Structure formats: C-alpha cells, structure tokens
Amino acid sequence: MGATKRKMVIVSLLCGLGYMMYSVDRMVMSSTVGMVAKQFGLNKAQSGLVLSSFFYGFIALLFIGGLLSDKWTGKPVVIAGLVLFSFATGMTGLATGLTSMLIYRIITGLGEGAFWSAATLEVANVTSQQQRTKIMSLYWSGYPIGGFIGTFLGANLAPIWGWQASFFVACVLGLVIALLYGIMVKHDKQELASAAKLATERKNEEKVSVWQVLRYPSVWMLSIYYLVLLSGWWILLLWAPTFLGNVKQMGAAEGGTIASFLGISGAVGGYILGVLCDKGNLSRKKSILLWITFVSGILMALLALSLPTWLTIILIFALGFFGYPITPVILSITSQVVPKEMVGTATGPVMNIGMIAGGVSPVLAGAFSDKYGMTQVWWIAGIVMIISCVFLFFKVEEQVN
C-alpha cells in the first residue's frame, strides 16, 4: 500500500471512529436519561432539556471549527474536539444535578461541533474526487454504528455499574482515539501548504457564494424539509429507550438493546440506499428520499400501537434502515441543486437549519409527554415526519454546471 493510500485509510478510519464516539456520547445519554432523571428528580421536560442541551454547544462551534481548521489544518482541531467532548462526556458522569449536567452537555456539544467540521475536512483533503463519495459514506457509517454502541452500552452497563460508568467508558474510548490520531496522522510541509491554498480558495469562493446560494429556492425547500423531518426523527433517537420502557413495559436493558438496533440497520441501509442513489439522477434521489421519509413516518407512528415484542423489533430495524440514510441522501441532493463552487456553502444552511430541531423537539416532547403521555408524542412525531414529505414536492431541481 502506497504512503498516500495508507494515509487516506488511517485518516478516514480514525475520523470515522471519532464520529462513532461522537454518536456514542449522544446515545449513552439517551439510554440512561431515565436513571439520571430518577436520581436528580427530573420531570420529562427537564429530561428533554438534558437530551437536547448538547445541540446548543454543537451549533455554536460548528462554523468556528471550520474556520479554525482552515487556519491550522484539521488535525489539531480534530484532536482538540475529540479531547473536549470526551473529557466533557466523562464529567457528565460526575454531574451532581440538573445545572451541572447541562453545563457538561453543552461543553460536550462544543467539542462535537469542532470535531465534526474538522474531521469532514480532513477526510476530504486525503481523498480524490473519484473516491470521495465512497469514503465519505464509510466515514458517515461511524454515526449509526456509534448509535448502536452508545445505546447498547448505556442500556447494559448502567443497570449493573450505574449510569455514570457508561460515560466514563465513552470518555476513555474517545481519548484513546484522540491519542492515536496525534501519533499516527502526520502532515508534512507540502501538505500543510496545499491545505492552506485550498482554504484560501474556499474563502474566496464563499465571499461570492454565501450570498448567491440564498437565491436558490431548492436550498430553502431542502432546509425546511430537513427541519420538519428532524423534529420527529430526533424524538425517536433520543427518547426511544424511554419510550420502550414506559409504553412497551420493557426493562432498561431490554429496551435499550432493542433501541440500539436502529444503528445496526441504519449502517446497512446507508450503504444500500447510497448505492441506489449513486446509480440514478436527481429525480431518482428525490424519489428515494420521498419514499424513505414517508415510510419512516409510518413506521414511527406504528410503533405507538400495542404490538408484540417481535414486531416492535422488526419495526425498529426497519426504521433504522430507512431513517438513518436520510442525511447522506439529502447531502447528495444538495450538492446537485447549486453550482459546484457553492456546494460547501449550500450544505451549511441545510444542515444547521435542520439541526435546530435537535435543540427544540426533544424538550417539547418531554413536556408534552408529561401532560399527555409518550404514546401521543410518538403519534405526533410520526405525523410530523410524514408532513415533511410535502416540501419535497416543491421546486428542487438540478443546477447545470
């Protein structure tokens, strides 16, 4: 294996593992929030705030992380982000109440925001245009895999050793990956100069495209679609173990383990649906996105019915398979609705407007479930996801470059 290919493999693998830990942290919180709430006397609304709080830090550093990466290259920002969110994950296990818990979760989000933008840049810098889509898909697969590990870890370790233990384990794993990145990834002077040149070119492009991208209705339709879709999807990801425990009467270990299946099928679905999308034009991708969104909403609503455990498991597997791949599909579509030089800028509003849902809907879901019950929340989340399909019927067309 040549030096260039070896570096591509190392960077992509370690960034993928970092992305996995980023997801592990989020889902450990999801699977242990019931135990946390019991210890600190939190109601559902407060628990929802705990689940959402990392989003506030995440959004705050998402853009700043990209700017820092342009200035210093992605490596130090990747390491700093990993160390920060891993350390804050460990500190979460030392929280003594709601206030300290929220502080640690927001700091976790700050680290995740810095890491995500820098890691994406690092992977892009070591891959060619021909191999980038495939490598990025493999990098992205760390997210659903991390969802499986985090949910499973919290559900099975926490009942035995306490909810704090799950956060300590996640902290150590994240710090190990940061250490490996520091040791194994080396950028020589030529690579640093090349990265600086690319950063300058991106900045020059952004001075024009940051305004021009606002002219494209397709970008706004996709942004609104993603916001509405994630308003339901984040309820599933962050409240699933609690839902299975409260509504399906499952124990913490059983409910958390079943919820973790979302990540397994999500990784498989991401690859299969990605291949189907790559074989077609924009119209094919829009059709796939429309159908997987509609099916995900239906599956979400069906989970609220009184079902045997085996059927609940099948629905969870199907939800992960169709729901998790929505993000890479929408990123692929976004890249086709603006000129090539605007792709990076166009991705920003789509992703960040969508991410606003993560800071709002889990909190509202918690407050609503306190008053009306978690079953009603699930019905509403499924309906909201179905409604998001409406925005895909508006003008979303390919930009001919």
Side-chain angles (χ1 to χ4, degrees):
M1 184 185 294
T4 302
K5 188 173 182 179
R6 185 182 301 111
K7 183 170 184 177
M8 180 197 71
V9 172
I10 292 173
V11 169
S12 301
L13 176 61
L14 291 178
C15 283
L17 289 173
Y19 200 12
M20 180 186 76
M21 293 311 304
Y22 154 117
S23 181
V24 166
D25 163 77
R26 295 184 180 189
M27 303 317 293
V28 162
M29 188 76 257
S30 172
S31 58
T32 60
V33 69
M35 300 177 198
V36 173
K38 184 176 181 180
Q39 179 170 331
F40 296 149
L42 308 181
N43 58 29
K44 287 287 196 311
Q46 291 170 321
S47 297
L49 183 60
V50 169
L51 290 173
S52 286
S53 54
F54 75 88
F55 278 104
Y56 310 137
F58 178 79
I59 294 173
L61 264 198
L62 194 58
F63 287 117
I64 297 175
L67 294 174
L68 294 176
S69 298
D70 284 343
K71 184 176 181 179
W72 294 324
T73 77
K75 178 181 176 180
V77 184
V78 164
I79 295 173
L82 271 167
V83 170
L84 182 59
F85 82 66
S86 297
F87 177 75
T89 296
M91 292 302 294
T92 300
L94 300 177
T96 56
L98 177 61
T99 300
S100 59
M101 175 68 75
L102 292 177
I103 291 172
Y104 295 142
R105 299 309 296 160
I106 291 172
I107 295 174
T108 301
L110 290 172
E112 291 176 357
F115 166 81
W116 187 82
S117 54
T120 302
L121 177 63
E122 284 282 271
V123 175
N125 283 342
V126 297
T127 54
S128 66
Q129 187 66 39
Q130 293 73 26
Q131 59 190 184
R132 191 161 298 152
T133 300
K134 180 173 66 177
I135 299 301
M136 280 293 186
S137 296
L138 293 174
Y139 159 65
W140 171 85
S141 68
Y143 187 76
I145 292 172
F148 160 69
I149 295 173
T151 309
F152 187 86
L153 184 68
N156 291 277
L157 190 63
I160 300 173
W161 300 101
W163 63 267
Q164 297 89 342
S166 303
F167 291 95
F168 297 150
V169 171
C171 169
V172 171
L173 293 175
L175 292 175
V176 168
I177 294 171
L179 178 62
L180 290 174
Y181 205 89
I183 294 173
M184 299 178 69
V185 177
K186 306 293 182 184
H187 293 310
D188 58 35
K189 291 182 179 180
Q190 184 177 354
E191 288 174 318
L192 294 178
S194 177
K197 182 180 179 181
L198 287 173
T200 301
E201 292 174 353
R202 281 195 297 270
K203 288 177 182 177
N204 290 335
E205 291 171 355
E206 287 171 2
K207 288 178 182 178
V208 179
S209 62
V210 71
W211 296 107
Q212 290 180 342
V213 75
L214 300 179
R215 301 178 185 176
Y216 292 86
S218 298
V219 174
W220 294 110
M221 287 301 101
L222 290 171
S223 299
I224 297 170
Y225 153 78
Y226 201 45
L227 173 64
V228 178
L229 180 278
L230 288 185
S231 295
W233 181 250
W234 278 115
I235 292 174
L236 168 69
L237 288 186
L238 299 181
W239 280 110
T242 302
F243 169 79
L244 293 175
N246 292 353
V247 177
K248 303 298 183 180
Q249 304 300 312
M250 297 180 183
E254 182 185 13
T257 299
I258 292 175
S260 71
F261 296 159
L262 286 163
I264 298 176
S265 57
V268 176
Y271 177 77
I272 294 175
L273 292 172
V275 170
L276 290 175
C277 284
D278 285 343
K279 291 182 177 180
N281 55 19
L282 180 63
S283 179
R284 181 189 181 98
K285 292 178 182 179
K286 282 175 56 181
S287 296
I288 290 174
L289 182 61
L290 175 64
W291 279 108
I292 63 178
T293 301
F294 180 76
V295 170
S296 296
I298 293 295
L299 291 171
M300 182 81 172
L302 288 176
L303 271 176
L305 299 176
S306 180
L307 303 169
T309 299
W310 65 268
L311 187 52
T312 297
I313 293 173
I314 291 175
L315 290 179
I316 289 288
F317 261 103
L319 251 177
F321 183 90
F322 291 107
Y324 257 118
I326 286 174
T327 295
V329 173
I330 196 174
L331 285 173
S332 179
I333 291 175
T334 303
S335 70
Q336 292 183 247
V337 300
V338 295
K340 290 180 180 178
E341 65 271 14
M342 297 183 185
V343 171
T345 306
T347 300
V350 174
M351 289 294 101
N352 287 285
I353 290 175
M355 285 296 175
I356 292 173
V360 178
S361 64
V363 181
L364 294 179
F368 195 87
S369 67
D370 268 337
K371 189 171 184 179
Y372 299 105
M374 190 63 75
T375 299
Q376 285 70 24
V377 168
W378 236 247
W379 277 107
I380 292 173
I383 292 171
V384 166
M385 291 170 68
I386 294 171
I387 290 174
S388 71
C389 293
V390 172
F391 298 97
L392 296 177
F393 287 100
F394 287 90
K395 188 176 182 180
V396 178
E397 60 184 11
E398 186 167 8
Q399 175 66 34
V400 179
N401 292 283

